[in-house]
Amino acid sequence: VALRAFFGRPGQWFEENDLDGDKNSIFHDVDGSVTGYRDAYVGRADNYLIQHPDCLKIPEWNGAICSGSYSQVYIQTWGAPSLSLSINRDEYPNAPLVLRGINSQGASSQQYQPILMMSKSYSLHWNGPAPREVVLSLINFDKEDWVLVGLCYPSDTTFQIMSDIYDRQKNTFDDITDYGPVSSLAQLETKPTERKYFFDQTVGYCSTKGCERVKVTATTSSKQICNCTAKAYPKYTKTPSAVVPMPAQNPQPCTNCGAKEVVFSSEPWMSYLHTQVKSLSRIEEEKGDNASFITVS
């Protein structure tokens, strides 16, 4: 009860604590009333997509306090159901985040929704043959935000890569533009505003950078598992660093921070009493637990 935040552990209440939403949990402590650090972010301690070396680990929260700019990417796939997606940040290649997708296993399409630290580079890998089609949708990106994303494909793959701006409410597409190839990653990084991609055939690593929505259609005869981790690293490994410095700790508790109301409700005219009910199972009784109760307020 005394914990200010808790990201769960496997066991009672949290089951295996390994669903995509469990792994991606993060919140923004705008005023520092939770962490003592104004404008800090707090996420799961084992999620290295959102961390840097100056983050503060809080073991009792199973969390880490970090600084940075964060946004979400929707990764939608077609043509390869039931795949797990492994995401490596190039600064932490030995600590991938593995997502199973939000749709039911066996569905014709799948969607993964990782939270990424901005101005960093990542690679995407699969536990089976690469999807025929991948769409990267940039969610709540601000102007000038960017990430560099590499996708794993067999070396014989040919691509059609395009971008567009998708209006979700009207289901319309604007500014449809094809991507053109460049011969090196260095050349790609010098053209951040242009629609370009680079395919490193020695690694099987196709990299794109930019805009609102990017669609990759891949054609290959290969059925190999598309996990390029062993070839991509250490080639693309980078030294971990903080893009946004950690804020200074608040020198004293904030007197006008945090929530103004104890209870949030969609029916604020209703009154509530705090109620607890505990009943005992046979296993608990065999372990010597004899406390069953009902408390009200």
Side-chain angles (χ1 to χ4, degrees), residues 19-94:
L19 297 178
D20 289 7
D22 298 323
K23 297 175 180 179
N24 273 301
S25 298
I26 186 172
F27 68 87
H28 186 192
D29 189 8
V30 177
D31 57 20
S33 56
V34 178
T35 62
Y37 294 86
R38 186 182 299 273
D39 197 30
Y41 289 80
V42 189
R44 261 191 35 166
D46 59 354
N47 182 1
Y48 282 85
L49 302 189
I50 62 172
Q51 296 188 40
H52 57 71
D54 298 331
C55 294
L56 303 176
K57 295 287 184 71
I58 311 293
E60 57 267 33
W61 295 4
N62 189 25
I65 303 172
C66 295
S67 58
S69 176
Y70 301 89
S71 292
Q72 194 169 31
V73 176
Y74 286 178
I75 303 169
Q76 298 166 299
T77 64
W78 286 266
S82 305
L83 285 179
S84 292
L85 169 63
S86 180
I87 308 175
N88 296 65
R89 198 165 105 200
D90 289 347
E91 295 175 339
Y92 297 103
N94 296 322

Side-chain angles (χ1 to χ4, degrees), residues 11 20 25 43 69 76 100 122 134 153 156 167 174-175 191 195 202 207 213 227 236 255 286:
D20 289 7
S25 298
S69 176
Q76 298 166 299
R100 66 180 69 175
Y122 305 83
V134 177
Y153 289 103
D156 69 342
D167 187 326
D174 295 306
D175 194 23
K191 303 173 182 287
R195 308 294 200 240
T202 64
S207 195
R213 203 177 80 144
N227 189 316
Y236 289 105
T255 57
E286 291 172 352

Side-chain angles (χ1 to χ4, degrees), residues 189-253:
E189 290 177 326
T190 63
K191 303 173 182 287
T193 61
E194 298 182 25
R195 308 294 200 240
K196 301 295 182 183
Y197 74 92
F198 164 61
F199 184 40
D200 185 342
Q201 288 187 303
T202 64
V203 173
Y205 187 95
C206 179
S207 195
T208 62
K209 183 177 182 178
C211 60
E212 299 300 313
R213 203 177 80 144
V214 180
K215 179 180 177 181
V216 181
T217 303
T219 303
T220 177
S221 59
S222 173
K223 301 299 182 182
Q224 71 185 67
I225 294 175
C226 277
N227 189 316
C228 309
T229 305
K231 292 183 178 180
Y233 304 104
K235 181 174 184 177
Y236 289 105
T237 300
K238 297 180 179 179
T239 302
S241 64
V243 176
V244 178
M246 279 291 291
Q249 189 171 14
N250 295 345
Q252 55 190 12

Side-chain angles (χ1 to χ4, degrees), residues 73-289:
V73 176
Y74 286 178
I75 303 169
Q76 298 166 299
T77 64
W78 286 266
S82 305
L83 285 179
S84 292
L85 169 63
S86 180
I87 308 175
N88 296 65
R89 198 165 105 200
D90 289 347
E91 295 175 339
Y92 297 103
N94 296 322
L97 181 71
V98 179
L99 303 177
R100 66 180 69 175
I102 64 172
N103 295 338
S104 61
Q105 295 296 296
S108 59
S109 64
Q110 191 54 269
Q111 180 164 303
Y112 313 86
Q113 301 180 180
I115 305 291
L116 303 180
M117 180 183 283
M118 297 293 94
S119 305
K120 296 294 183 180
S121 55
Y122 305 83
S123 62
L124 311 183
H125 309 267
W126 312 98
N127 66 341
R132 181 184 68 254
E133 188 172 291
V134 177
V135 174
L136 307 177
S137 299
L138 312 187
I139 307 301
N140 61 14
F141 274 53
D142 291 327
K143 189 177 181 180
E144 309 300 337
D145 279 352
W146 64 269
V147 291
L148 183 65
V149 180
L151 297 91
C152 181
Y153 289 103
S155 58
D156 69 342
T157 306
T158 57
F159 302 96
Q160 179 186 17
I161 301 179
M162 57 173 286
S163 65
D164 59 40
I165 297 175
Y166 176 43
D167 187 326
R168 289 174 173 270
Q169 293 182 334
K170 298 179 181 178
N171 195 30
T172 58
F173 304 88
D174 295 306
D175 194 23
I176 300 174
T177 307
D178 283 325
Y179 271 54
V182 294
S183 58
S184 70
L185 185 60
Q187 188 179 358
L188 175 71
E189 290 177 326
T190 63
K191 303 173 182 287
T193 61
E194 298 182 25
R195 308 294 200 240
K196 301 295 182 183
Y197 74 92
F198 164 61
F199 184 40
D200 185 342
Q201 288 187 303
T202 64
V203 173
Y205 187 95
C206 179
S207 195
T208 62
K209 183 177 182 178
C211 60
E212 299 300 313
R213 203 177 80 144
V214 180
K215 179 180 177 181
V216 181
T217 303
T219 303
T220 177
S221 59
S222 173
K223 301 299 182 182
Q224 71 185 67
I225 294 175
C226 277
N227 189 316
C228 309
T229 305
K231 292 183 178 180
Y233 304 104
K235 181 174 184 177
Y236 289 105
T237 300
K238 297 180 179 179
T239 302
S241 64
V243 176
V244 178
M246 279 291 291
Q249 189 171 14
N250 295 345
Q252 55 190 12
C254 183
T255 57
N256 190 32
C257 292
K260 307 304 179 188
E261 300 290 338
V262 176
V263 176
F264 294 91
S265 171
S266 59
E267 301 174 329
W269 54 87
M270 297 290 290
S271 297
Y272 296 89
L273 290 174
H274 184 216
T275 303
Q276 290 180 295
V277 180
K278 181 187 176 185
S279 61
L280 292 174
S281 69
R282 185 168 62 251
I283 294 176
E284 289 171 322
E285 290 177 331
E286 291 172 352
K287 290 181 178 179
D289 189 345

